[in-house]
Amino acid sequence: MSFVAAFNSLPVPLLVQKSLAAGAAAVRGSLARRGLSLTDFAHLISPAAAESLEILSRRSHQMTQQRFGKVIRLFAPLYLSNECINNCQYCGFSRDNPILRVTLSLDEVKREARALKEQGFRNVLLVAGEHPKFVSAAYLENCVRALHDEIPGVSLEVGPLETADYRPLVAAGADGLVVYQETYDRGVYAQMHTAGPKRNFDWRLETPERAYAAGFRRLGISPLYGLADWRYEAISVAAHAAYLLRNCWKAQLTISLPRLRPCAGEFQPLMPMSDRDLAQLVCAFRLMFPDAGLVLSTREPSKLRDGLIPLGVTLMSAGSHTEPGGYTGAGREKLHQTVRGRIVEPDAPAPSKLNGEGASEWAPQPNRATNATGQFDIADARPPGEVAELIRKLGYEPVWKDWDAALTA
Ligand code: SF4
């Protein structure tokens, strides 16, 4: 049975109700148990458990140190392309957004990777929009192969593929696959994804299983917090994680905690999640999944990131750019602007102006040399060295290289 079938029979609304109704005794009971159930997890993310955040934090901190030591693994996203055939309302790369787009050549990808390597990174996440013409499986395979000798840890966050298309990527040296479900609420998912293959909720939900069958040994999952009720999302992703741990047990699992950020299209969060909710969720994930990697990206501001390190985070990005060519300016000379998926002259007036609307800060500026448009605004803009220094100051070791190698070194 795939996770789709398991998910369809999961009483998520009931678990959310249990979470909202949980009292202090239910929270204490769940904290006392070993091997937590989904109901226990619902208790840990309850308003009642928020009153005991200090206890949750202490437990989570201790458990993280026991399992991972005092280590934070660093990685950087490397954006290959911001072309996309999907319309996802919350994403800057959405097909209908009039932005500057580019797909990097292999040489340009290598240039970007070298810049990251010089900053210290040995773990890179290759990210691309979904566009079979520009970002084909063969293109991805060539990118992975081109980087593998220099960068020991190459993972992918790209449009979902068939198992057979994943296999050459694994053979070329990719070891991890990250796929955000974006939202586990089918109704909200349908509203958010108005065009393109991403409209298929089930196909996306089964992606980690296809990736595992192809040989990926690191799987990353998450919703994008801010689209639907965060407790609904958290319970769903916890069920997904539990399923993958049972059925894809040879893989190391990571759970990310991304919250929506400003981007082209100016989408606003539908159901915001507070900083305190985020901290509580980090602790709840750690207590439920002692061995799962917890990922915090530069979507979050520096102060909050620093504060969440001791709670249970194990992987962080640093110095990130969310546009192709962001680290070196690679690809700048081939930028093109698209309007509703069609290429137009790059120095044409911004479409927002053509429509008589106010000028968008994301629209290309006429005659201005610039990089491609980013997927979203980052909040922590500190250079990687500064983040590493802060991690050291907190008593942790920043690790740039491959996770398994770091553990056995
Ligand atoms: S979220 Fe992914 S699929 Fe959707 S528009 Fe952005 S890059 Fe494309």
Side-chain angles (χ1 to χ4, degrees), residues 276-328:
R276 202 175 158 83
D277 296 337
L278 184 66
Q280 186 179 355
L281 186 55
V282 168
C283 299
F285 276 141
R286 174 56 65 230
L287 297 180
M288 176 86 179
F289 303 112
D291 296 312
L294 296 183
V295 187
L296 197 64
S297 78
T298 54
R299 287 173 180 268
E300 300 302 335
S302 52
K303 252 195 167 162
L304 181 63
R305 295 222 304 163
D306 300 349
L308 291 176
I309 287 175
L311 260 55
V313 169
T314 55
L315 290 99
M316 292 173 87
S317 51
S320 303
H321 280 265
T322 70
E323 73 276 26
Y327 300 106
T328 64

Side-chain angles (χ1 to χ4, degrees), residues 176-338:
L177 188 99
V178 174
V179 58
Y180 293 169
Q181 186 62 26
E182 319 293 11
T183 174
Y184 286 83
D185 182 316
R186 285 180 184 273
V188 177
Y189 190 95
Q191 278 171 37
M192 291 297 107
H193 303 102
T194 53
K198 194 166 172 180
R199 294 178 71 198
N200 189 336
F201 180 98
D202 289 354
W203 162 255
R204 192 166 185 87
L205 198 57
E206 284 176 338
T207 303
E209 292 159 72
R210 293 196 303 277
Y212 181 73
F216 279 104
R217 288 301 172 256
R218 285 182 191 156
L219 301 174
I221 56 171
S222 179
L224 179 57
Y225 294 98
L227 297 178
D229 172 49
W230 74 267
R231 288 189 176 87
Y232 187 101
E233 304 286 28
I235 289 166
S236 304
V237 76
H240 199 177
Y243 174 93
L244 293 174
L245 287 170
R246 271 195 315 276
N247 294 282
C248 306
W249 53 273
K250 284 187 204 160
Q252 187 190 29
L253 184 72
T254 59
I255 304 171
S256 304
L257 295 110
R259 289 191 295 182
L260 271 166
R261 290 285 304 154
C263 65
E266 278 131 41
F267 183 81
Q268 294 298 318
L270 302 175
M271 301 196 79
M273 179 196 204
S274 73
D275 292 355
R276 202 175 158 83
D277 296 337
L278 184 66
Q280 186 179 355
L281 186 55
V282 168
C283 299
F285 276 141
R286 174 56 65 230
L287 297 180
M288 176 86 179
F289 303 112
D291 296 312
L294 296 183
V295 187
L296 197 64
S297 78
T298 54
R299 287 173 180 268
E300 300 302 335
S302 52
K303 252 195 167 162
L304 181 63
R305 295 222 304 163
D306 300 349
L308 291 176
I309 287 175
L311 260 55
V313 169
T314 55
L315 290 99
M316 292 173 87
S317 51
S320 303
H321 280 265
T322 70
E323 73 276 26
Y327 300 106
T328 64
R332 191 178 278 171
E333 58 290 341
K334 3 175 245 202
L335 290 177
H336 55 269
Q337 185 189 345
T338 59

Side-chain angles (χ1 to χ4, degrees), residues 83-88 90-95 128-130 182 193 198 204 375:
E83 311 279 357
C84 196
I85 54 171
N86 291 304
N87 263 338
C88 307
Y90 49 82
C91 178
F93 294 170
S94 209
R95 186 194 72 184
E130 187 168 350
E182 319 293 11
H193 303 102
K198 194 166 172 180
R204 192 166 185 87
Q375 189 176 28

